């Protein structure tokens, strides 16, 4: 039998049309349940999760090199300098400063930069070997923080003015962290102090590479 309303063919004896829901006996149409479009939030949730993971990894990676802890930045500077890893040393320096160095040294691409930091690393390796020979071999380097000074007044203003003029970097604060360093070989040992100057840019601490000395002498 066919529906008088829409023409849909229905089974004999059907009370309501399968196509439009109209009564096949002339009564009221069967109620049609509205279709509810179910929105899927799976893609959105996955996107947010990926962004959160990327952000967390970026922060974690930076904190391994320094970041929010000025003490960790200072200690890592010594560790990387002693290990003759110039590439990691410069990761503790503000990016704008590194970019300025690249421009001054006419390092045009990543390969030029890689070669340059490798040359610096080789120089630090030579310094390590020289100290090791002087002290009788099997050099062991140990260090600990002995003092920390917050720079204020004219000292802080001088650093702030210089970084803003040279690199357009706003320095929020600055510290000088003093380390007692011991170099011990088989035959002899040496002890001295080094001062590492740190600057705070936003939330993060960086090494002031221009005023911080190499650790091995």
């Amino acid at each position: 039998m066919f529906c008088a309303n829409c023409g849909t063919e229905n089974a004999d004896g059907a009370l309501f049309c399968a196509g439009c829901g109209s009564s096949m006996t002339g009564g009221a149409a069967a109620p049609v349940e509205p279709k509810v479009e179910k929105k899927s939030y799976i893609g959105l949730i996955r996107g947010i999760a990926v962004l959160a993971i990327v952000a967390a990894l970026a922060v974690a990676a930076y904190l391994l090199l320094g970041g929010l802890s000025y003490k960790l930045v200072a200690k890592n500077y010594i560790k990387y300098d002693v290990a003759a890893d110039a590439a990691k040393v410069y990761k503790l320096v503000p990016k704008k400063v590194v970019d300025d160095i690249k421009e001054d040294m006419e390092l045009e691409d990543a390969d030029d930069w890689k070669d340059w930091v490798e040359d610096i690393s080789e120089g630090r390796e030579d310094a390590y070997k020289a100290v090791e020979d002087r002290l009788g071999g099997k050099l062991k380097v140990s260090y600990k923080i002995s003092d920390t000074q917050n720079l204020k007044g004219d000292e802080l203003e001088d650093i702030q003015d210089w970084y803003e003029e040279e690199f357009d970097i706003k320095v929020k604060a600055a510290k000088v962290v003093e380390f007692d360093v011991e170099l011990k070989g088989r035959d002899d040992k040496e002890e001295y102090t080094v001062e590492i100057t740190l600057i705070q840019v936003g939330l993060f601490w960086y090494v002031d590479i221009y005023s911080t000395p190499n650790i091995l002498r």
Side-chain angles (χ1 to χ4, degrees):
M1 55 188 300
F2 294 90
C3 175
N5 183 55
C6 68
T8 299
E9 184 176 5
N10 293 271
D12 292 339
L15 297 179
F16 298 99
C17 175
C20 66
S22 296
S23 173
M24 298 295 290
T25 60
V32 178
E33 185 177 343
K35 294 182 180 180
V36 178
E37 183 178 353
K38 297 181 179 179
K39 295 183 179 180
S40 173
Y41 295 97
I42 296 177
L44 178 61
I45 294 173
R46 286 178 178 173
I48 294 174
V50 169
L51 290 176
I53 292 172
V54 170
L57 290 175
V59 172
Y62 184 72
L63 291 178
L64 290 176
L65 299 173
L68 297 175
S69 169
Y70 74 87
K71 291 182 180 180
L72 186 56
V73 176
K75 289 179 179 179
N76 279 344
Y77 174 79
I78 294 181
K79 180 172 69 174
Y80 300 147
D81 184 67
V82 171
D85 194 336
K88 286 187 177 179
V89 166
Y90 279 98
K91 288 184 181 295
L92 302 175
V93 177
K95 183 180 183 300
K96 287 185 177 180
V97 175
V98 173
D99 289 341
D100 187 76
I101 293 172
K102 291 179 180 179
E103 184 176 348
D104 287 346
M105 300 302 297
E106 298 182 352
L107 306 174
E108 298 180 356
D109 54 34
D111 289 337
D112 289 341
W113 173 252
K114 181 180 178 181
D115 292 341
W116 191 75
V117 294
E118 283 181 355
D119 288 342
I120 295 177
S121 296
E122 289 175 3
R124 299 310 300 149
E125 288 176 359
D126 292 341
Y128 186 95
K129 292 176 182 177
V131 174
E132 190 171 53
D133 291 342
R134 188 170 70 240
L135 300 180
K138 288 191 176 181
L139 181 64
K140 180 180 179 181
V141 182
S142 59
Y143 47 87
K144 63 179 180 179
I145 295 176
S146 56
D147 191 27
T148 301
Q149 176 188 358
N150 294 316
L151 297 186
K152 298 179 180 179
D154 292 341
E155 290 181 312
L156 176 58
E157 289 180 7
D158 288 344
I159 290 178
Q160 289 173 324
D161 292 343
W162 188 76
Y163 268 91
E164 187 158 10
E165 291 173 4
E166 294 292 325
F167 312 108
D168 192 27
I169 291 176
K170 294 187 180 298
V171 174
K172 182 178 179 180
K175 294 177 182 287
V176 174
V177 182
E178 184 179 277
F179 282 84
D180 289 335
V181 179
E182 180 185 77
L183 309 179
K184 188 175 182 180
R186 279 188 299 219
D187 300 334
D188 202 357
K189 70 176 181 178
E190 296 177 357
E191 297 177 338
Y192 52 87
T193 61
V194 294
E195 293 183 344
I196 298 176
T197 303
L198 304 172
I199 59 171
Q200 185 181 19
V201 181
L203 295 175
F204 299 104
W205 289 92
Y206 299 90
V207 173
D208 176 19
I209 198 69
Y210 294 103
S211 63
T212 297
N214 294 124
I215 304 306
L216 298 180
R217 301 175 176 179

